[in-house]
Amino acid sequence: MVDREGTIWATTLEKGVFVSYSKALIALKRQNDLIGNIQVDSDQVSMLCSSKKIAYFFRKDSLQTDIIQDSLPRELTALFRTKNSLYLGTKSGLFYAPSKKRVKIVFGYPAGTAGVLDIIKYNGDTLLVLGWNSIYTVYHEKRISNYTLHTTINFTTILKDGSILVTTRNNDGVYLLKNNTFVPYLPELPQLRTRINAIVEDHNSRLWFATETNLYCYDEHHHLHQFNEKNGLANLQISTLAVDEANNIWGGTSLGLFKISSTT
């Protein structure tokens, strides 16, 4: 996750939380139960911990842990913090917490599903709630609509123009949510008809796509550029992408980070 100042935040399964300072990653706090869900606000960074804990890093130098006192039916999988409340994603549905002591359900998922995968701010107070094969819109703790895909969702992002892009766990490529339905996005590019793990839009409105074996850049002239072992990118599965304030592209893999300079 990259905050407004261009600082990169990362969580790990075993080593805790890291933040980038002066081209180095520094461990802030060891939290063995942290999972990789991060929300950046103007004054703090919020992260999920164990089943009833939310961690807050204030001004990047101190840690506070809040406890959700009301019982939740399943473990937390995602969070979104507003000014006065929390939305909590679980494997059984979405919950709304106007206070740390009280939690109420917004909608539920049937047993055996993966539940809420992510919660994203969409337009004003409207949230997108990403599920296994559906996307719900939620406004002021009420479910407004839902959109269903024929296969399982892998990744969702919102572009600068408000377009919602969705990738799947199959080799279907990218879909655009348009007029309440999913339509293929850039279907003329066969290179993108594969499993795509991440999409990021840089400051020049170029789109970067991370697949299982390659990184692609779709530029403002509608040309597709490929990055792989032939031009210096290690043959690693890329799981996440980010762009910093200098328009450098950062990628996360199972073996670490890589950076593509904006001058490349």
Side-chain angles (χ1 to χ4, degrees):
M1 175 67 73
V2 181
D3 65 20
R4 297 175 183 177
E5 299 174 358
T7 302
I8 297 175
W9 294 79
T11 63
T12 67
L13 293 177
E14 298 178 352
K15 301 298 182 181
V17 183
F18 291 82
V19 62
S20 63
Y21 284 117
S22 302
K23 300 181 180 180
L25 284 177
I26 300 174
L28 284 186
K29 181 75 174 180
R30 175 121 185 191
Q31 286 287 125
N32 291 332
D33 56 355
L34 275 174
I35 51 180
N37 190 289
I38 308 174
Q39 179 189 345
V40 176
D41 298 297
S42 58
D43 62 338
Q44 66 186 44
V45 175
S46 309
M47 298 183 186
L48 278 179
C49 291
S50 62
S51 59
K52 290 188 177 183
K53 293 181 182 178
I54 308 295
Y56 300 117
F57 289 90
F58 290 94
R59 291 188 294 275
K60 305 174 187 174
D61 58 7
S62 62
L63 174 69
Q64 174 184 323
T65 301
D66 284 341
I67 304 296
I68 304 299
Q69 298 180 9
D70 202 355
S71 61
L72 291 171
R74 301 285 291 277
E75 65 267 30
L76 292 174
T77 56
L79 88 157
F80 188 91
R81 188 179 66 87
T82 65
K83 184 176 181 180
N84 299 313
S85 60
L86 284 169
Y87 286 91
L88 304 168
T90 75
K91 289 190 175 182
S92 59
L94 180 70
F95 292 80
Y96 174 73
S99 69
K100 300 169 191 173
K101 297 181 180 180
R102 185 165 60 91
V103 175
K104 62 180 182 178
I105 190 168
V106 179
F107 64 84
Y109 284 112
T113 63
V116 176
L117 302 179
D118 202 0
I119 306 170
I120 306 171
K121 185 176 182 179
Y122 176 43
N123 185 12
D125 292 333
T126 302
L127 303 178
L128 291 181
V129 182
L130 177 64
W132 189 248
N133 66 344
S134 62
I135 295 178
Y136 291 85
T137 56
V138 173
Y139 179 77
H140 286 184
E141 68 192 83
K142 297 184 183 298
R143 184 178 65 180
I144 304 301
S145 58
N146 71 286
Y147 312 100
T148 302
L149 198 61
H150 67 279
T151 185
T152 53
I153 293 173
N154 189 41
F155 179 82
T156 300
T157 190
I158 303 174
L159 304 183
K160 297 174 185 176
D161 63 2
S163 299
I164 302 171
L165 299 184
V166 177
T167 73
T168 72
R169 295 179 182 269
N170 300 326
N171 295 330
D172 295 338
V174 187
Y175 288 90
L176 171 68
L177 182 57
K178 182 178 182 180
N179 298 327
N180 298 336
T181 188
F182 292 100
V183 297
Y185 185 72
L186 300 176
E188 69 276 13
L189 299 176
Q191 299 92 328
L192 299 183
R193 288 202 293 270
T194 184
R195 175 167 173 162
I196 296 175
N197 296 324
I199 304 172
V200 71
E201 183 179 16
D202 69 18
H203 303 323
N204 295 324
S205 297
R206 296 176 297 190
L207 294 178
W208 296 77
F209 301 87
T211 72
E212 295 288 282
T213 56
N214 293 284
L215 178 66
Y216 293 98
C217 175
Y218 186 68
D219 68 20
E220 62 272 27
H221 304 294
H222 308 294
H223 296 150
L224 189 68
H225 306 272
Q226 183 178 16
F227 296 82
N228 53 28
E229 285 183 303
K230 295 180 179 179
N231 45 23
L233 182 63
N235 185 18
L236 297 171
Q237 179 178 335
I238 304 169
S239 58
T240 186
L241 292 173
V243 57
D244 63 21
E245 59 182 357
N247 210 31
N248 300 311
I249 301 299
W250 292 81
T253 75
S254 58
L255 297 180
L257 291 171
F258 68 84
K259 183 181 80 169
I260 296 180
S261 173
S262 59
T263 59
T264 300

